[in-house]
């Protein structure tokens, strides 16, 4: 989607893959600034890494926006303030993680699961903490409304970002409680245990074979399909570089973005049709998007959905 937007707007883009490694995250911002980039969009980035990223962009007069992450105003007040104070940090495009967690846990609750295991990646990650808050809220709400049909949520097992870590975490959950239904688990471990029919799994970030997995039952539902987040961050930085968006010092542009949710093979087929087989925006729509005010861009970000893409494609 970024390559298509760059082509439509005649923008040169460079990519650096930092692999979630902290020192590479900060080095990548320095590398792009040194290469003469006028603007940078960054993913993934922890709050602490943003301290260095913002300083590098301030020093080099390079505009910066995040996507898939937002600095926590509550947990990282000093870093949030530094972001607000910066003349070059624009803001963050990110999902509503508490709402995401609640939606995912409701998929399980509505499928009859009452014993839910939880797998996270890194302790303290702002996105993970928001999602966990949503899982807990969903279970608490269910229990309040169903006093005779209580659900329970485990403490999280942490898996990092590797497949091996996910397998070990799921195995630890199953070993600790043989009746447990892992929430965000390693499919392979559940399959090895022969429990695909008994344990429903939901998670975030679409798998490449998600359609098949929804069909065969190894996944119960997933949120994701959010590769337009970087597009909105790209448009913010593009307009800053062009001088259309100005005066970033003293404020933080917080741009929430909706997840797409699929919980059946048919849901995924519609996603595939309008987001995978073709891009959800034409070149002309991308050019039109680049001319929006920041407020109208924010409204556009919130309207992204499978239904919206289908309606525009059917014009």
């Amino acid at each position: 989607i970024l390559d298509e937007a760059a082509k439509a707007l005649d923008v040169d883009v460079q990519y650096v893959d930092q692999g979630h490694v902290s020192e590479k995250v900060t080095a990548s911002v320095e590398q792009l600034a040194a290469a003469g980039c006028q603007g940078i969009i960054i993913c993934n980035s922890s709050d602490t890494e943003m301290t260095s990223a913002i300083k590098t962009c301030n020093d080099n007069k390079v505009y910066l926006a995040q996507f898939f992450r937002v600095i926590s105003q509550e947990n990282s007040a000093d870093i949030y303030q530094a972001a607000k104070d910066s003349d070059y940090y624009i803001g963050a495009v990110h999902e509503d993680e508490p709402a995401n967690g609640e939606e995912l846990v409701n998929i399980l609750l509505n499928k009859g699961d009452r014993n839910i295991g939880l797998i996270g990646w890194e302790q303290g990650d702002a996105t993970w903490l928001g999602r966990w808050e949503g899982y807990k809220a969903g279970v608490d709400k269910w229990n309040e409304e169903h006093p005779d049909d209580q659900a329970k949520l485990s403490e999280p097992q942490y898996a990092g970002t590797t497949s091996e870590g996910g397998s070990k975490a799921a195995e630890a959950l199953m070993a600790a409680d043989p009746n447990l239904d892992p929430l965000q688990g390693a499919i392979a471990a559940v399959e090895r245990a022969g429990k695909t029919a008994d344990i429903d799994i939901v998670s975030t970030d679409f798998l490449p074979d998600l359609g098949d997995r929804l069909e065969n039952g190894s996944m119960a539902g997933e949120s994701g399909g959010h590769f337009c987040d970087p597009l909105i961050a790209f448009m913010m930085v593009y307009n800053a570089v062009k001088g259309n968006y100005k005066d970033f010092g003293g404020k933080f542009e917080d741009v929430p973005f909706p997840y797409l949710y699929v919980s059946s093979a048919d849901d995924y087929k519609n996603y595939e049709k309008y987001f995978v087989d073709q891009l959800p925006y034409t070149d002309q729509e991308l050019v039109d998007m680049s001319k929006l005010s920041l407020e109208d861009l924010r409204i556009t970000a919130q309207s992204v959905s499978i239904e919206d893409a289908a309606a525009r494609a059917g014009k």
Side-chain angles (χ1 to χ4, degrees):
I1 195 77
L2 291 180
D3 287 341
E4 195 64 25
K7 178 166 74 77
L9 297 171
D10 195 24
V11 171
D12 291 328
V13 290
Q14 298 187 47
Y15 296 94
V16 177
D17 182 359
Q18 27 82 341
H20 295 214
V21 178
S22 190
E23 55 271 25
K24 288 187 181 176
V25 174
T26 52
S28 69
V29 179
E30 293 166 9
Q31 184 180 334
L32 290 169
C37 289
Q38 296 163 287
I40 294 171
I41 60 175
I42 183 170
C43 163
N44 280 309
S45 48
S46 71
D47 290 359
T48 51
E49 290 155 5
M50 290 309 295
T51 306
S52 169
I54 291 166
K55 183 178 185 310
T56 298
C57 287
N58 288 346
D59 291 347
N60 290 277
K61 298 183 168 52
V62 173
Y63 292 104
L64 176 66
Q66 290 174 274
F67 63 96
F68 298 158
R69 287 289 185 279
V70 61
I71 298 167
S72 171
Q73 188 172 4
E74 187 181 317
N75 299 324
S76 306
D78 292 350
I79 303 169
Y80 189 90
Q81 190 60 47
K84 275 184 73 172
D85 292 342
S86 170
D87 289 327
Y88 292 93
Y89 177 85
I90 303 170
V93 183
H94 64 99
E95 280 70 23
D96 182 339
E97 291 299 347
N100 177 35
E102 193 164 336
E103 180 83 21
L104 288 171
V105 84
N106 281 332
I107 290 173
L108 293 180
L109 292 166
N110 291 328
K111 286 179 182 284
D113 301 319
R114 300 290 178 268
N115 208 11
I116 298 168
L118 189 57
I119 297 177
W121 54 99
E122 298 292 347
Q123 288 176 298
D125 178 276
T127 295
W128 154 248
L129 290 172
R131 205 172 293 170
W132 186 12
E133 184 187 317
Y135 296 143
K136 289 187 283 194
V139 171
D140 288 348
K141 200 174 288 184
W142 175 273
N143 287 340
E144 202 175 305
E145 293 169 2
H146 302 85
D148 299 326
D149 187 16
Q150 297 285 284
K152 72 173 185 177
L153 181 70
S154 80
E155 287 298 307
Q157 290 277 341
Y158 289 98
T161 54
T162 66
S163 177
E164 183 189 4
S167 289
K168 285 179 178 169
E171 283 160 358
L173 283 172
M174 288 186 288
D177 185 344
N179 299 315
L180 205 56
D181 297 355
L183 175 60
Q184 217 188 342
I187 296 165
V190 174
E191 287 176 336
R192 279 199 303 276
K195 301 228 173 171
T196 302
D198 306 320
I199 293 178
D200 290 326
I201 301 175
V202 296
S203 74
T204 294
D205 294 341
F206 285 177
L207 295 162
D209 58 352
L210 179 56
D212 295 338
R213 292 198 171 280
L214 288 163
E215 190 89 59
N216 68 26
S218 59
M219 284 296 295
E222 198 150 26
S223 60
H226 46 304
F227 65 82
C228 288
D229 296 47
L231 174 63
I232 301 299
F234 174 95
M235 292 295 181
M236 288 162 66
V237 167
Y238 170 81
N239 274 286
V241 170
K242 296 284 280 187
N244 300 329
Y245 299 171
K246 298 176 182 174
D247 304 323
F248 300 111
K251 63 182 180 179
F252 190 118
E253 298 295 347
D254 190 331
V255 183
F257 201 89
Y259 273 114
L260 306 180
Y261 294 92
V262 296
S263 55
S264 71
D266 284 344
D267 287 350
Y268 188 76
K269 278 175 190 155
N270 286 329
Y271 165 73
E272 203 164 35
K273 183 174 181 182
Y274 296 109
F275 284 80
V276 178
D277 297 341
Q278 63 189 51
L279 290 175
Y281 296 101
T282 65
D283 280 6
Q284 186 55 53
E285 286 172 326
L286 292 168
V287 171
D288 292 344
M289 191 186 295
S290 76
K291 296 173 182 173
L292 295 174
S293 69
L294 189 52
E295 192 48 45
D296 286 342
L297 185 65
R298 191 194 310 274
I299 291 165
T300 298
Q302 290 170 343
S303 72
V304 172
S305 67
I306 295 170
E307 294 75 20
D308 171 66
R312 283 184 291 99
K315 277 181 187 172

